[in-house]
Amino acid sequence: MSIRFTTKARRGMVAMTVAAGLALGVAGCGGGGGDDKKPDTSASASKNGGSKPSSQEGKSETPLAELKGTDGLLLQITSAERDSGGFVTVNGVVKNDGAKSVVIPPQTSGDETEVIAHGPSLGGATLVDSQGKKRYYVLRDTEGRPLTTTGLGNLEAGQTLPVFMQFPAPPASTSEVDLQVPTFSSGSIKISG
């Protein structure tokens, strides 16, 4: 089953995504009075314990799910949040748990020509609502780009890469879904919000 959106709806989702990204960027730009002396005060504040760690720094948190991939790849899901705009944003980290450098498999992009044309991504990911018997695909913008991390490539041994995926939101009554990413095991995640 494929979910189609009108051009106007897609533009609205893209605009909301950009606005959310800008809001997050602006929120992270605040600093103390010493900004002119040290250009990167947020890093030194984190080292000194002067601020709360960001979601990327909070790697000690227990992930919602761990999906095992090929060649030692591991996808750890850190959050799945329902947004008021009618979509779910899934955040996580891809980690190379192996001893050698590994390429993230191209199959993670899925098999849709329009998505593959925009390069390696997690565009093949889906959320499965077993209760509602529906599958939700990664959203695309008006040019067919998947609303997910793109430009995936090599990961050295021990290296991590933060990733995200956006999907249409299942009904509010659905709080748990299965995340499926090609070449990775599937995992059950709880949606918050």
Side-chain angles (χ1 to χ4, degrees):
M1 178 174 154
S2 174
I3 298 176
R4 298 258 178 197
F5 292 95
T6 64
T7 301
K8 186 175 181 181
R10 283 190 209 163
R11 285 185 184 142
M13 285 186 280
V14 170
M16 288 180 5
T17 302
V18 170
L22 289 173
L24 289 173
V26 170
C29 290
D35 282 342
D36 55 344
K37 295 178 185 172
K38 289 185 180 180
D40 190 10
T41 58
S42 63
S44 61
S46 294
K47 288 177 188 171
N48 296 332
S51 69
K52 291 170 74 175
S54 70
S55 60
Q56 292 176 355
E57 292 174 313
K59 291 179 182 165
S60 62
E61 295 178 17
T62 303
L64 295 177
E66 288 190 346
L67 286 62
K68 292 187 179 187
T70 57
D71 298 322
L73 287 175
L74 183 65
L75 174 57
Q76 296 177 322
I77 303 304
T78 55
S79 68
E81 296 182 11
R82 188 184 302 271
D83 296 314
S84 60
F87 54 92
V88 170
T89 302
V90 177
N91 291 297
V93 175
V94 175
K95 180 178 182 182
N96 180 356
D97 252 359
K100 300 181 203 173
S101 175
V102 67
V103 175
I104 296 175
Q107 293 91 336
T108 61
S109 298
D111 57 6
E112 292 182 44
T113 307
E114 188 175 60
V115 173
I116 294 171
H118 295 288
S121 70
L122 296 175
T126 58
L127 290 182
V128 178
D129 174 6
S130 299
Q131 179 183 353
K133 297 184 169 80
K134 289 190 178 178
R135 179 180 303 270
Y136 299 91
Y137 294 86
V138 170
L139 292 168
R140 281 103 170 125
D141 69 12
T142 56
E143 296 178 9
R145 288 184 184 91
L147 298 183
T148 181
T149 304
T150 58
L152 304 177
N154 266 9
L155 280 182
E156 297 300 323
Q159 185 179 358
T160 60
L161 175 70
V163 295
F164 81 97
M165 298 158 268
Q166 288 187 325
F167 302 90
S173 60
T174 300
S175 61
E176 193 165 325
V177 291
D178 289 327
L179 175 63
Q180 297 178 343
V181 180
T183 74
F184 286 85
S185 61
S186 64
S188 182
I189 57 174
K190 290 191 184 245
I191 300 173
S192 61

